[in-house]
């Protein structure tokens, strides 16, 4: 994947050089430039419309992919971060607070991946601990009290697998959220923006609508983890990614998610602006969908949605 | 998320026809004594696994159990093929070997005359993993509890989510919890009994959210696998890490009860539940 992308960016670099050399008005070169631009476009389309699941995993994890902080800056306004679970501490890997989208108040909760080592040390690569999930629940309960819809942004390799996390009840914290989210009396829109890593993702993912960016992934276990358990070989991750059916397209087919948000050509990391616009449009559309639903109708619908998930024989 | 120690269950079974070597204290126990003692080591009180129907026999009044949804068995929505075989073949083999259709047995029965809905996991069925069929059976059992206002008890024994069903398996965590969440509104008690092992996605869903969480002694209970944690934090974990006793100490278990006393303990607890 990286090689394919590199060849495109090399071509783009050459094109930029050519443009700089010739100047925009040089008509002799205009044709040539247009041709090269077309070529790049075709190449990008080819790459991005034929991604293998494993390649999609790489894009979902791309270090330049927009993270929560980008959405906070570019999509939402008036973000007021609310800290702490009131029990133990404030998890930097999973954050939340009031925000507005297109003027509408919401409660925004999301995994807080960083883009470089320094950020990720503080944010723990978006891997939350029990206090993160408990903070999320506190904020969801507050949203319910103030009758504000909840929007969750999912982007995590998984819940943090550490000694303290186990000690403080990682399992209980996630489980509690699953129970409580089923009964929350305001709409919940969940958007998988990058990595939907297992229980750590689901812990804030019990939405009335679940949306996925087209190059994001959502899985019960990381392809690497699956490979090492089932094939006893972490190098089989590529095959595991395929077998696990982790892409947005697969999840739509399986009836798990409600909508795929198309990313711009070249992936979200190549064009923040249009990515943000698409996400904004989709979130607004789904928020509108639940407007005017009574509390009991909302909860009944949510219960029916999750009751129907599963494929088995009888 | 889905993980379990395969070597452990192998060890338990690798014995002669007459003797069982306890995987914990390594004493050789006469097989008949072992099973007469409910698969609990008479020397060290190690609670090894028992089948779902054996457990039902220990917990419910004899002749009261009526099974529901017995015919649900796994489909293969992902057409999953692992290193050795397809999920389909694995399921066929497992069904034949265990006589079970899924990793859980559900139904209604009585504990000293008190009516209960039970869901009992069986580790022999693909490590007690949580598949779509498992999730459906739990939801339907909890719906039955909800409709009839009968206490609901789940006995967990599971390595976690079933990878072979991918995301569908993960979503069973939300599905089962949605069912359990409704019980509150009708004040129906939900008791979770955690047995060896209760890990991964099962610990992070229904098993950990009982009104009461009760554990058998020495059970492995936790979210992430020991090896994963050790690789993450680069240090050795204490021996008692993720045991029933460890969870009791950290506040996630109400109490620990021996298998032989479980029925009576459940009865005592249920007698406090007043409709
Ligand atoms: Zn022993």
């Amino acid at each position: 994947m990286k090689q394919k992308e590199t060849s495109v960016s090399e071509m783009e670099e050459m094109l930029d050089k050519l443009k700089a050399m010739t100047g925009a008005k040089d008509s002799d070169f205009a044709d040539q430039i247009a041709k090269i631009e077309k070529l790049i476009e075709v190449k990008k389309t080819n790459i991005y419309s034929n991604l293998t699941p494993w390649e999609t995993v790489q894009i979902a994890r791309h270090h330049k992919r927009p993270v929560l902080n980008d959405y906070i800056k570019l999509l939402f306004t008036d973000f007021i971060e609310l800290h702490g679970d009131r029990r133990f501490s404030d998890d930097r890997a999973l954050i939340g607070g009031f925000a507005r989208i297109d003027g509408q108040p919401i409660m925004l909760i999301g995994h807080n991946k960083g883009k470089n080592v320094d950020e990720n040390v503080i944010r723990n690569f978006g891997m939350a601990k029990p206090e993160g999930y408990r903070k999320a629940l506190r904020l969801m309960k507050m949203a319910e009290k103030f009758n504000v819809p909840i929007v969750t942004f999912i982007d995590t390799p998984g819940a943090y697998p550490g000694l303290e996390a186990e000690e403080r009840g990682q399992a209980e914290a996630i489980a509690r959220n699953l129970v409580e989210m089923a009964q929350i009396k305001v709409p919940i829109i969940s958007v998988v923006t990058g990595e939907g890593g297992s229980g750590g993702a689901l812990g804030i993912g019990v939405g009335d609508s679940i949306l996925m960016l087209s190059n994001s992934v959502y899985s019960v276990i990381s392809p690497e983890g699956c490979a090492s358990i089932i094939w006893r070989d972490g190098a089989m991750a590529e095959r595991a990614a395929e077998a696990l059916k982790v892409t947005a397209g697969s999840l739509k087919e399986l009836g798990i998610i409600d909508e795929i948000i198309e990313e711009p050509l070249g992936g979200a990391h190549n064009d923040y602006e249009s990515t943000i616009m698409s996400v904004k449009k989709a979130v607004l559309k789904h928020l509108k969908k639940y407007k005017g639903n009574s509390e009991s109708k909302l909860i009944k619908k949510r219960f029916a949605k999750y009751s129907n998930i599963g494929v088995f024989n009888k | 998320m889905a993980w379990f120690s395969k070597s452990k269950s192998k060890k338990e079974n690798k014995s002669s026809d007459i003797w069982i070597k306890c995987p914990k204290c390594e004493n050789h126990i006469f097989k008949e004594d072992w099973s007469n003692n409910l698969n609990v080591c008479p020397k060290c009180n190690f609670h090894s696994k028992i089948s779902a129907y054996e457990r039902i026999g220990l917990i419910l009044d004899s002749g009261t159990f009526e099974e529901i949804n017995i015919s649900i068995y796994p489909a293969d929505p992902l057409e999953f093929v692992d290193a050795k075989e397809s999920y389909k073949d694995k399921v066929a083999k497992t069904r034949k070997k265990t006589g079970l259709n899924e990793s859980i047995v559900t139904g209604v029965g009585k504990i000293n005359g008190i009516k209960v809905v039970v869901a009992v996991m069986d580790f022999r069925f693909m490590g007690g993993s949580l598949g779509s069929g498992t999730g459906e059976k739990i939801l339907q059992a909890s719906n039955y509890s909800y409709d009839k206002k009968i206490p609901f008890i789940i006995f967990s024994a599971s390595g976690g989510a079933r990878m072979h069903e991918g995301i569908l398996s993960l979503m069973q965590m939300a599905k089962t919890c949605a069912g359990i969440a409704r019980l509150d509104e009708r004040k129906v008690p939900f008791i979770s009994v955690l047995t060896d092992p209760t890990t991964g996605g099962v610990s992070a869903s229904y098993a950990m959210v009982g009104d009461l969480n009760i554990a058998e002694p020495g059970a492995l209970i936790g979210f992430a696998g020991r090896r994963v944690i050790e690789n993450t934090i680069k240090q050795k974990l204490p021996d008692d890490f993720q045991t029933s006793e460890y969870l009791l100490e950290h506040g996630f278990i109400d109490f620990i009860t021996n298998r032989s006393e479980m029925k009576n303990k459940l009865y005592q607890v249920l007698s406090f539940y007043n409709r």
Side-chain angles (χ1 to χ4, degrees):
Chain A
M1 187 63 217
K2 269 213 175 108
Q3 280 170 349
K4 287 184 195 171
E5 275 209 306
T6 311
S7 77
V8 170
S9 64
E10 272 169 6
M11 280 167 78
E12 282 174 330
E13 234 169 77
M14 274 163 60
L15 182 69
D16 285 343
K17 272 185 199 157
L18 190 63
K19 279 179 182 167
M21 272 163 59
T22 59
K25 278 175 196 157
D26 197 325
S27 59
D28 284 352
F29 286 96
D31 268 7
Q32 297 247 19
I33 288 172
K35 262 186 204 158
I36 296 174
E37 273 174 344
K38 188 87 191 283
L39 207 68
I40 292 174
E41 186 88 356
V42 169
K43 192 148 190 181
K44 269 192 190 171
T45 312
N46 276 336
I47 293 174
Y48 279 86
S49 55
N50 293 303
L51 294 172
T52 66
W54 182 238
E55 285 170 340
T56 310
V57 170
Q58 306 312 310
I59 298 175
R61 293 173 180 168
H62 200 287
H63 65 284
K64 284 184 180 155
R65 194 170 173 83
V67 294
L68 182 64
N69 206 27
D70 298 308
Y71 292 100
I72 288 173
K73 280 189 199 144
L74 303 169
L75 197 163
F76 299 98
T77 55
D78 304 337
F79 179 64
I80 303 174
E81 187 174 352
L82 305 170
H83 294 267
D85 67 345
R86 300 292 192 270
R87 281 164 168 76
F88 181 74
S89 75
D90 182 47
D91 195 339
R92 301 311 302 145
L94 179 48
I95 66 168
F98 290 117
R100 285 196 171 82
I101 176 168
D102 211 24
Q104 291 178 50
I106 57 143
M107 180 64 79
L108 178 65
I109 294 163
H111 300 104
N112 191 29
K113 255 194 199 174
K115 279 193 179 151
N116 53 53
V117 176
D118 289 346
E119 282 178 359
N120 272 324
V121 166
I122 297 166
R123 303 177 188 182
N124 203 24
F125 298 86
M127 294 186 286
K129 296 175 185 163
E131 48 270 28
Y133 294 100
R134 289 178 184 136
K135 171 171 67 180
L137 181 57
R138 180 175 81 84
L139 300 188
M140 287 190 265
K141 285 290 193 185
M142 197 193 307
E144 181 180 54
K145 181 175 173 182
F146 296 163
N147 197 25
V148 174
I150 298 161
V151 177
T152 67
F153 273 41
I154 293 164
D155 187 14
T156 180
Y160 184 64
L163 173 77
E164 302 161 72
E166 294 287 327
E167 207 170 39
R168 294 198 287 276
Q170 188 72 286
E172 194 273 345
I174 291 171
R176 185 67 55 199
N177 283 14
L178 303 185
V179 169
E180 295 291 335
M181 287 183 88
Q183 298 274 324
I184 289 268
K185 298 186 190 78
V186 291
I188 304 171
I189 314 294
S190 297
V191 188
V192 184
T193 59
E195 278 183 281
S198 194
L202 189 62
I204 58 164
V206 189
D208 296 298
S209 288
I210 310 174
L211 321 177
M212 271 178 90
L213 279 170
S214 54
N215 292 316
S216 67
V217 292
Y218 199 172
S219 181
V220 64
I221 183 169
S222 73
E224 291 90 340
C226 177
S228 72
I229 293 173
I230 288 203
W231 283 274
R232 308 247 152 202
D233 179 5
M236 295 296 283
E238 186 166 356
R239 189 149 153 212
E242 219 166 283
L244 286 167
K245 301 238 169 23
V246 299
T247 63
S250 292
L251 267 84
K252 187 82 174 41
E253 267 171 45
L254 290 165
I256 304 290
I257 62 167
D258 300 271
E259 187 173 336
I260 299 174
I261 305 171
E262 282 304 328
E263 289 177 34
L265 197 58
H269 57 283
N270 272 314
D271 185 349
Y272 276 30
E273 204 177 316
S274 85
T275 303
I276 299 285
M277 283 302 293
S278 307
V279 174
K280 186 173 178 178
K281 220 175 109 188
V283 171
L284 283 169
K285 180 178 133 190
H286 285 269
L287 280 173
K288 201 174 162 193
K289 213 165 113 182
Y290 302 105
K291 223 170 228 171
N293 276 8
S294 70
E295 287 175 356
S296 65
K297 190 178 167 194
L298 196 64
I299 290 168
K300 251 187 211 152
K301 264 182 154 174
R302 195 181 298 142
F303 180 68
K305 178 190 177 85
Y306 286 90
S307 290
N308 284 326
I309 296 180
V311 181
F312 50 87
N313 290 313
K314 226 176 165 164
Chain B
M1 167 150 252
W3 59 274
F4 46 84
S5 162
K6 277 191 177 150
S7 54
K8 204 173 175 188
S9 58
K10 259 183 205 156
K11 249 191 260 165
E12 278 170 41
N13 299 330
K14 210 186 262 172
S15 315
S16 75
D17 290 342
I18 310 162
W19 299 95
I20 293 231
K21 188 181 168 192
C22 172
K24 198 169 177 202
C25 69
E26 301 193 333
N27 273 305
H28 287 267
I29 313 290
F30 196 38
K31 210 169 188 175
E32 213 179 301
D33 291 345
W34 183 269
S35 55
N36 282 344
N37 203 36
L38 319 174
N39 290 9
V40 175
C41 174
K43 291 260 161 65
C44 74
N45 201 34
F46 173 73
H47 280 55
S48 78
K49 299 173 185 78
I50 56 170
S51 74
Y53 289 111
E54 282 176 289
R55 197 180 292 281
I56 286 165
L58 294 178
I59 297 297
L60 297 181
D61 302 345
S62 124
T64 61
F65 181 61
E66 284 172 50
E67 188 163 355
I68 53 176
N69 287 314
I70 189 167
S71 63
I72 289 177
Y73 69 97
D76 182 16
L78 269 51
E79 294 172 352
F80 196 99
V81 181
D82 70 19
K84 278 182 293 184
E85 59 193 339
S86 68
Y87 177 38
K88 215 172 237 158
D89 289 347
K90 201 182 186 84
V91 166
K93 256 193 229 164
T94 306
R95 288 175 71 194
K96 202 167 165 199
K97 203 173 97 191
T98 61
L100 297 164
N101 280 331
E102 249 302 354
S103 61
I104 199 159
V105 174
T106 56
V108 289
K110 285 179 179 168
I111 295 179
N112 294 346
I114 297 180
K115 213 167 182 192
V116 290
V117 177
V118 292
V120 186
M121 302 194 78
D122 195 315
F123 193 80
R124 293 172 305 154
F125 198 99
M126 295 190 71
S129 55
L130 173 58
S132 293
T134 321
E136 178 70 13
K137 288 178 84 167
I138 291 175
L139 179 74
Q140 296 222 15
S142 91
N143 285 350
Y144 192 89
S145 267
Y146 176 85
D147 291 338
K148 311 265 180 194
K149 296 192 183 181
I150 300 170
F152 185 31
I153 309 172
I154 301 182
F155 294 82
S156 293
S158 171
R162 190 177 299 161
M163 281 175 289
H164 309 70
E165 293 189 18
I167 193 75
L168 288 162
S169 161
L170 183 75
M171 289 295 158
Q172 300 311 308
M173 294 166 61
K175 174 172 172 168
T176 51
C177 285
I180 282 155
R182 292 206 308 165
L183 299 179
D184 273 358
E185 127 201 358
R186 295 207 169 167
K187 307 203 188 311
V188 176
F190 166 52
I191 299 172
S192 171
V193 180
L194 299 93
T195 76
D196 186 59
T198 299
T199 58
V202 168
S203 75
S205 60
Y206 51 87
M208 208 46 95
V209 290
D211 293 311
L212 272 81
N213 295 334
I214 305 172
E216 285 192 336
L220 171 66
I221 304 167
F223 178 67
R226 175 179 275 265
R227 232 183 324 148
V228 175
I229 299 171
E230 283 180 342
N231 285 340
T232 307
I233 63 172
K234 314 273 183 242
Q235 65 187 68
K236 277 293 251 182
L237 296 164
D239 280 343
D240 74 334
F241 185 62
Q242 294 183 325
T243 58
S244 306
E245 294 72 17
Y246 179 91
L247 267 88
L248 181 74
E249 193 188 319
H250 288 94
F252 294 99
I253 298 290
D254 287 281
F255 54 81
I256 296 170
T257 297
N258 281 328
R259 188 168 290 164
S260 56
E261 291 145 27
M262 187 63 78
K263 177 176 181 173
N264 217 9
K265 260 286 164 45
L266 286 170
Y267 172 71
Q268 283 177 22
V269 164
L270 287 168
S271 70
F272 282 90
Y273 157 67
N274 228 330
R275 277 194 288 160

